[in-house]
Amino acid sequence: MDIFEPYFKAGEIARKTRAFATSLIKSGVSVLDLCEKIEGFIKSQGGEPAFPCNICINEVAAHYTAEYMDSLRIPEQSIVKMDLGVHIDGFIVDTAITVALDEKYMLLKEAAEEALRKALKSIRASVSVYDIGETISKVASTYNLKPIRNLSGHEIARYNLHAGISIPNIPLQGGKFKLYGVYAVEPFITEHWASGTVIESTKPVIYRCLSYKKIRDTEANVLLKTLWSRFKGLPFAERWIHNMNLKCNVQNAWFKLKNSNLIKSYRPLVEISKGSVAQAEETILVVEDGVIELTGFPL
Ligand code: MN
Ligand code: MN
């Protein structure tokens, strides 16, 4: 199991960071402060953020992180998803929790957690992802709630957050779990009257490099080289670039680079009918007799 050591180390850091983060999520708190504290905690433990800390509120399901100088605060009586990733030398774990700041969201949170718990219990080598999607959607319907059909868990590879197969939240064909595969399982649950679908909204705040090649523009090349050596193909936040100290005009370089075909952008994903969304996520390693839960999700 020595080859999995970096995963266990990343998992332990993620577990501690998640506990730290949970204690910080309260109404009135600045989302920018939260993201920076959570990312800083990961580094203080000897890990690197595998992607910007995501804080998604109410109908925002995924892919929101604080912008540069973001003034957003956690609203009162909201439902908050905190999604964090840790990597050690490219070995990634990915975990998320939901904090319900009002009683009315407790069932959403519980449904997402129970769906995750049931899914994790049924996974072993050669189980099909179809069955896991079915398990998740059955739990949602016992709560009279709905899974999000177009968000899914994913296989993880070194420096590759979304590698290989997807793990749907509804019964969909799409392959089987492999022995010694690493997977993030992440049920997203919304309200029964909602569509159960997310769409892209507003402007992107998360980006990643698709590849590195030397480009003509000297400034943009310096920045691309830095981004690639620091993050490889992992996601980064626009605000991280503002804080970089480079031998070029970072703002100019980023402006040129972000619209090139070497950079992919991610927009926040929002439930189309404004249904509130809960999420629970754990990363697992499939072993002979079941799975190892790498971040020790508190179930
Ligand atoms: Mn995640
Ligand atoms: Mn994930």
Side-chain angles (χ1 to χ4, degrees):
M1 294 301 267
D2 282 3
I3 55 164
F4 298 112
E5 206 44 50
Y7 277 117
F8 298 139
K9 200 171 160 196
E12 180 59 17
I13 295 169
R15 186 185 63 75
K16 284 187 195 160
T17 310
R18 190 181 52 220
F20 168 76
T22 310
S23 71
L24 300 178
I25 298 170
K26 296 188 170 70
S27 67
V29 166
S30 147
V31 171
L32 176 59
D33 274 1
L34 254 181
C35 290
E36 288 187 337
K37 279 184 182 154
I38 292 165
E39 291 157 5
F41 189 90
I42 292 171
K43 290 179 188 164
S44 77
Q45 300 291 309
E48 283 295 325
F51 51 84
C53 174
N54 283 210
I55 301 286
C56 296
I57 298 165
N58 297 341
E59 71 271 18
V60 182
H63 296 175
Y64 187 81
T65 189
E67 295 182 61
Y68 181 62
M69 311 249 280
D70 202 325
S71 60
L72 180 66
R73 288 177 185 275
I74 304 280
E76 282 180 15
Q77 298 174 318
S78 55
I79 179 167
V80 183
K81 281 78 62 190
M82 192 282 309
D83 192 334
L84 69 91
V86 177
H87 82 89
I88 303 275
D89 206 20
F91 297 96
I92 307 161
V93 300
D94 182 2
T95 179
I97 44 134
T98 292
V99 176
L101 295 174
D102 191 291
E103 270 298 303
K104 66 175 184 258
Y105 296 124
M106 280 313 289
L107 281 182
L108 272 173
K109 172 187 158 73
E110 279 171 25
E113 289 173 357
E114 190 177 330
L116 177 60
R117 193 183 309 133
K118 285 227 165 110
L120 296 184
K121 272 193 186 147
S122 357
I123 297 172
R124 49 190 62 236
S126 82
V127 163
S128 99
V129 297
Y130 181 98
D131 295 343
I132 301 308
E134 188 166 57
T135 300
I136 293 169
S137 65
K138 272 187 183 159
V139 172
S141 51
T142 61
Y143 278 81
N144 192 27
L145 296 167
K146 217 177 233 182
I148 304 262
R149 68 177 74 232
N150 60 343
L151 282 173
S152 58
H154 46 96
E155 194 170 344
I156 293 177
R158 194 174 180 197
Y159 283 112
N160 191 348
L161 186 57
H162 289 222
I165 62 167
S166 294
I167 300 137
N169 293 319
I170 56 169
L172 274 179
Q173 301 294 352
K176 290 178 170 166
F177 292 90
K178 295 183 303 249
L179 186 61
Y180 304 128
V182 176
Y183 305 89
V185 184
E186 47 185 317
F188 283 87
I189 310 286
T190 187
E191 289 161 288
H192 70 94
W193 51 261
S195 153
T197 314
V198 292
I199 47 159
E200 291 186 328
S201 79
T202 62
K203 61 182 171 101
V205 284
I206 299 173
Y207 296 85
R208 72 183 185 92
C209 301
L210 293 173
S211 64
Y212 174 73
K213 66 172 190 214
K214 198 167 170 22
I215 44 178
R216 280 175 92 106
D217 187 281
T218 319
E219 278 190 324
N221 191 58
V222 169
L223 180 58
L224 179 62
K225 211 171 176 176
T226 308
L227 293 171
W228 184 256
S229 70
R230 218 170 274 188
F231 310 121
K232 304 280 192 297
L234 292 176
F236 56 84
E238 195 158 42
R239 70 186 145 81
W240 291 358
I241 294 175
H242 285 265
N243 300 328
M244 281 179 175
N245 225 332
L246 297 181
K247 288 193 186 112
C248 70
N249 183 324
V250 178
Q251 296 322 308
N252 278 344
W254 176 237
F255 185 78
K256 287 180 234 172
L257 197 57
K258 77 172 169 184
N259 297 312
S260 79
N261 56 10
L262 296 168
I263 300 286
K264 181 171 166 63
S265 63
Y266 296 88
R267 292 164 196 274
L269 297 171
V270 180
E271 210 291 317
I272 198 166
S273 48
K274 290 197 167 14
S276 296
V277 179
Q279 174 199 17
E281 180 176 22
E282 169 66 303
T283 300
I284 53 164
L285 168 65
V286 176
V287 290
E288 285 82 357
D289 53 355
V291 304
I292 296 174
E293 298 175 12
L294 289 168
T295 81
F297 195 89
L299 296 172

